[in-house]
Amino acid sequence: MDTGHNFPEVLAYRDETVAAAGARLLVTRVQDYIDDGRLRERPDGTRNPLQTRPLLDTIQSEGFDGVIGGARRDEERSRAKERIVSLRDEFGQWDPRNQRPELWRLLNLRHSPGEHLRVFPLSDWTELDVWRYIEREDIALPSLYYAHRREVFSRDGMWLAVTPVTRPREGETVTTRTVRYRTVGDMSCTGAVDSTAANNHEIAVEVAASTLTERGATRADDRLSESAMEDRKREGYF
């Protein structure tokens, strides 16, 4: 789901990974939905929530029975309600009260015609587990996960990068800081954190000392309301 507000480093990494794997890349663009009137820009400028309809349309048109995501239960309260195999109804919606038990690691993949599954293999991992695994396997990642110098400005307690879609408002001062990104989403709602961690080991050490999840620290779209993420998930958001 290409919002049109993606970080260039992430798109470059995506294309390199696809080429290396010889995989099929299917891109659905939010901009196409805006251009033909199926979606409208939000007043706050973020396109992250606008991915939901293109996602559901693509799942239906491609006939996918399941899609795999990297969400973890420790990220955010609504994601703590998820199962590893999460059922979505014929409208692509999620009901946290209609989730199947997963006793003894038994996973139920059954679903009716029109329904589909969201599968989260890393549900029980933590951010630190992920970084320890990345360090152990020496996995290459987009450069913005590591400390680098970047022009940023402070908004709502986060450092937002100066980009074509995130411009400082009156009274917001641009400064150059050494930062990195703990999570990578839409540029309009993803903040950076002060950090000097420049390799996988240093990031693992930094994360071990952190008391705030990466989404809590850096995602403005999760701060819209107490139930922001759960509301989006009920509508079909990943």
Side-chain angles (χ1 to χ4, degrees), residues 7-10 127 131 141-153 158-163 166 177-197 203 206-207 214-215 217-219:
F7 287 94
E9 297 95 327
V10 176
E127 185 184 8
W131 280 104
L141 294 175
S143 59
L144 73 173
Y145 277 109
Y146 304 98
H148 57 284
R149 300 287 286 174
R150 186 176 288 253
E151 284 192 334
V152 296
F153 58 93
M158 297 189 306
W159 293 116
L160 293 181
V162 179
T163 73
T166 48
R177 303 180 69 90
T178 300
V179 299
R180 73 176 189 87
Y181 287 85
R182 289 177 66 184
T183 183
V184 178
D186 192 302
M187 286 189 293
S188 63
C189 65
T190 305
V193 296
D194 288 306
S195 175
T196 58
I203 291 176
E206 181 180 271
V207 169
E214 69 270 37
R215 291 195 69 94
T218 66
R219 293 299 290 270

Side-chain angles (χ1 to χ4, degrees), residues 8-228:
E9 297 95 327
V10 176
L11 295 180
Y13 177 84
R14 176 201 69 184
D15 294 340
E16 291 167 3
T17 302
V18 168
R24 172 188 174 222
L25 175 63
L26 176 62
V27 179
T28 302
R29 293 178 171 82
V30 169
Q31 187 64 54
D32 293 340
Y33 279 68
I34 294 172
D35 290 344
D36 63 19
R38 285 176 289 175
L39 290 173
R40 290 191 298 177
E41 292 276 19
R42 292 167 51 91
D44 58 12
T46 181
R47 289 185 176 181
N48 215 43
L50 300 184
Q51 297 176 89
T52 299
R53 182 172 176 185
L55 173 65
L56 295 177
D57 287 350
T58 302
I59 289 172
Q60 183 178 44
S61 64
E62 294 292 319
F64 293 138
D65 292 303
V67 287
I68 299 174
R72 308 184 321 272
R73 294 189 179 114
D74 74 322
E75 290 182 82
E76 195 271 340
R77 282 180 293 181
S78 68
R79 286 183 164 168
K81 302 177 183 179
E82 283 280 16
R83 301 293 192 263
I84 293 175
V85 176
S86 181
L87 182 68
R88 296 298 195 270
D89 65 20
E90 63 273 23
F91 302 107
Q93 297 177 337
W94 174 68
D95 182 354
R97 297 167 298 181
N98 184 30
Q99 297 299 307
R100 300 155 173 171
E102 293 179 341
L103 306 176
W104 306 290
R105 310 297 290 180
L106 297 176
L107 306 180
N108 187 345
L109 298 172
R110 295 178 181 174
H111 60 286
S112 301
E115 298 176 340
H116 72 274
L117 304 171
R118 305 282 176 91
V119 184
F120 304 104
L122 303 183
S123 289
D124 294 332
W125 288 41
T126 65
E127 185 184 8
L128 182 57
D129 292 332
V130 171
W131 280 104
R132 284 174 170 165
Y133 183 79
I134 290 169
E135 179 185 7
R136 190 186 80 184
E137 300 297 320
D138 193 26
I139 298 172
L141 294 175
S143 59
L144 73 173
Y145 277 109
Y146 304 98
H148 57 284
R149 300 287 286 174
R150 186 176 288 253
E151 284 192 334
V152 296
F153 58 93
S154 178
R155 179 179 298 167
D156 298 328
M158 297 189 306
W159 293 116
L160 293 181
V162 179
T163 73
V165 298
T166 48
R167 296 291 187 184
R169 300 168 182 164
E170 184 177 353
E172 295 176 336
T173 303
V174 174
T175 182
T176 301
R177 303 180 69 90
T178 300
V179 299
R180 73 176 189 87
Y181 287 85
R182 289 177 66 184
T183 183
V184 178
D186 192 302
M187 286 189 293
S188 63
C189 65
T190 305
V193 296
D194 288 306
S195 175
T196 58
N199 58 53
N200 294 337
H201 176 70
E202 291 176 355
I203 291 176
V205 172
E206 181 180 271
V207 169
S210 176
T211 59
L212 191 62
T213 69
E214 69 270 37
R215 291 195 69 94
T218 66
R219 293 299 290 270
D221 51 337
D222 289 348
R223 302 182 182 189
L224 296 176
S225 71
E226 285 292 321
S227 60

